[in-house]
Amino acid sequence: MDSTCLVVDEMHPSLLPLLAGIGVAADYRPELTAAEVPGALVAKPYDGLVVRSKLRVTAELLARGPQLRYVARAGAGVDNIDEAALAAAGVTLLNAPEGNRDAVGEFAIGLLLNLLRHIGRADGEVRQGIWKREANRGEEIGGKTIGLLGYGHMGRSFARRLGAFGCTVLAYDHDPAVAPDAHAALVPLAEMQARADVLSLHIPYSAANHHFVNQEFLAGFQRPLWLLNTARGEVLDHAALVEGLQAGRLYGAALDVLENERLATLSGPQAARYEFLKSADNVLLTPHVGGWTHQSYQRINEVLVGKLGAFLAAAHGGGKE
C-alpha cells in the first residue's frame, strides 16, 4: 500500500473499498473519542487523517502526527480545521463540497417553498383540526429576486434549481476569482441589497465571516426579506435575526444551522433567542441536514477518494514525499 490513514468518524461503508482501490490502507476507528485521537497518531505512523466533525484539527494535534501528509475532511465545511496550521506543517487539506452540493441545492428549494407557502404551519394547523385557507395564502417564487451571499458550490447548486421558477437570481461573492455562469448574475453587494426579496446564505464560516450578516448588513436591504441559512450558524448574528423578525424587516427565516447547535449548552442569551425562534410561526428550523442525504453520504466518499488519489499520484510523481 502507498499510504496509511486513520479514519476517526463514522463513514459510509463504501469508504474502505474505495481507499483500497487507490492503494490506501485505512484503520477505521470511529469509536475513538476526540481526546483519544492524538494518542492514536502517536502509536502508528499514519500519513493521512480522515475526519468529519468529531474533532478540531489543530497545530497541537498535527504535532502528534509529524508524518501526516494529508487531512481529508469528508464534507464541505472546513471550519473545524486550522488551515494555517496545516500549511505551516506542509500538510495538504482535501474536502468534498462537490459531494453534497446537490443535496444542499435541493434542500434550499424546499425551505424556500415551505417558507413562502406556509407549509409547515399549515400542516400543524390541519393536524389540530384548524382549517385556515386565507391565513395561509402564500407567495410564489416566480417574479421574485433571490439574492445569494456566496457563489461557490452550494450557491451555484441552489441557483441552478431556481432557474425553473421564473425568478431573478443575483449573487455576491467577495472572491474576485469567482466566475459568472448562466444561473445567476454576479453583482456588487449594494446592488443585491437594493433588489433582493430573498437572501440565502452560502458562505463558509471563518473568523472573518463571524456574524458577517449582522444588524448593519441587514439594514442595507431596501425591502423586507425572507432569509435562508444553510451555511453555518455563526455567519449570522442571531440577535440581529430576532430583532429583524420582531420589527418586521424580515418576513420569515428558514434555518438549517444555528449559532450553537449543542442545544444542551446554550448560554442565557442563546437560549432566549432559541425560545423566540422555535415559537415563531414564520421560522423554520431543521437540524443541519441540508447536505445530509443517503446519496450525498456515499458521494462524499467518492469525491474525497478521487481527490486523494490525484494527490497521492502527484506526490509519487515528484511532489511532496
Side-chain angles (χ1 to χ4, degrees), residues 93-110:
L93 173 61
L94 306 167
N95 70 328
E98 301 90 341
N100 62 359
R101 62 187 175 191
D102 288 339
V104 172
E106 290 184 7
F107 192 75
I109 289 290

Side-chain angles (χ1 to χ4, degrees), residues 86-143:
L86 264 67
V91 176
T92 295
L93 173 61
L94 306 167
N95 70 328
E98 301 90 341
N100 62 359
R101 62 187 175 191
D102 288 339
V104 172
E106 290 184 7
F107 192 75
I109 289 290
L111 289 180
L112 183 55
L113 286 168
N114 199 324
L115 197 61
L116 294 180
R117 300 300 301 273
H118 314 302
I119 296 170
R121 181 177 76 194
D123 172 78
E125 289 174 354
V126 174
R127 289 174 186 274
Q128 298 175 58
I130 301 169
W131 195 264
K132 292 182 177 179
R133 291 190 70 217
E134 182 58 32
N136 285 301
R137 185 195 295 262
E139 294 277 343
E140 297 178 14
I141 298 175

